[in-house]
Amino acid sequence: MFKVLRRAWEGLATALLRPINKVAAITLSVYTFLWGVWLALPFWDVFNQSTIYSWLDSIAPEAVWGWAAIVVGIIMTYGVIRTSYNSLTIGAFVGFIHWLIIAIGYYAGNWQNTGGLTATAMAIYCAAIYLSMRVNHTHLAFEKDSDII
């Protein structure tokens, strides 16, 4: 059992040393941006459609959640396109916090939903980008054939 855990831990450490996949990072940032746009649009009321959003709605209106996601998505996209270490690191960290809160909100609204799993996956992915950026802080290791993150 400990050998499996140790091998997994060493695999994670090795993975964090690999370059970030630009396409995957931009996909996450654009998804975050579009998720925010969907909530911020005044043409419909997303939070009233399901009880899954009840906890999130009690914290802030959906436009606030939408604009927060838009800002995070823009920061992350800028960081990837301009290969800006600070923007991508900050965007990934804030994206992690954002998606973690969204996941908690989804689970608080209805613990049986699949949206919570999706938001959790987004939070983990943002955390992986953040950790990779912190480990590879000496340079932005964007490569077209990178196979991690």
Side-chain angles (χ1 to χ4, degrees), residues 19-35 69-84 87-89 91-92 99 122 125-126 128-130 133 142-144 146 148-149:
I20 292 174
N21 183 325
K22 241 181 164 175
V23 173
I26 199 83
T27 301
L28 173 64
S29 67
V30 169
Y31 176 81
T32 302
F33 176 81
L34 291 176
W35 187 87
I70 288 169
V71 169
V72 170
I74 288 171
I75 293 170
M76 290 178 70
T77 303
Y78 178 82
V80 174
I81 291 173
R82 294 288 186 192
T83 59
S84 168
S87 292
L88 189 54
T89 304
W99 285 112
M122 296 297 179
Y125 192 64
C126 285
I129 291 173
Y130 174 78
M133 295 298 294
F142 290 121
E143 292 182 6
K144 61 182 174 185
S146 60
I148 186 68
I149 307 177

Side-chain angles (χ1 to χ4, degrees), residues 3 8 16 19-21 34 36 39 42 59 68 72 80 94 102-103 105 123 131 138 149:
K3 286 183 181 181
L16 290 175
I20 292 174
N21 183 325
L34 291 176
L39 286 181
I59 301 297
V72 170
V80 174
V94 175
I102 297 299
L131 289 174
T138 56
I149 307 177

Side-chain angles (χ1 to χ4, degrees), residues 8-18 135:
W9 186 255
E10 288 173 355
L12 175 64
T14 302
L16 290 175
L17 294 174
R18 293 186 185 150
V135 168

Side-chain angles (χ1 to χ4, degrees), residues 46-78:
V46 176
F47 281 5
N48 286 336
Q49 302 302 317
S50 176
T51 58
I52 189 175
Y53 302 107
S54 60
W55 186 80
L56 293 173
D57 196 28
S58 70
I59 301 297
E62 68 183 65
V64 171
W65 292 107
W67 281 104
I70 288 169
V71 169
V72 170
I74 288 171
I75 293 170
M76 290 178 70
T77 303
Y78 178 82

Side-chain angles (χ1 to χ4, degrees), residues 93-110:
F93 180 75
V94 175
F96 166 73
I97 299 299
H98 170 78
W99 285 112
L100 182 65
I101 291 170
I102 297 299
I104 291 168
Y106 282 174
Y107 290 129
N110 178 1

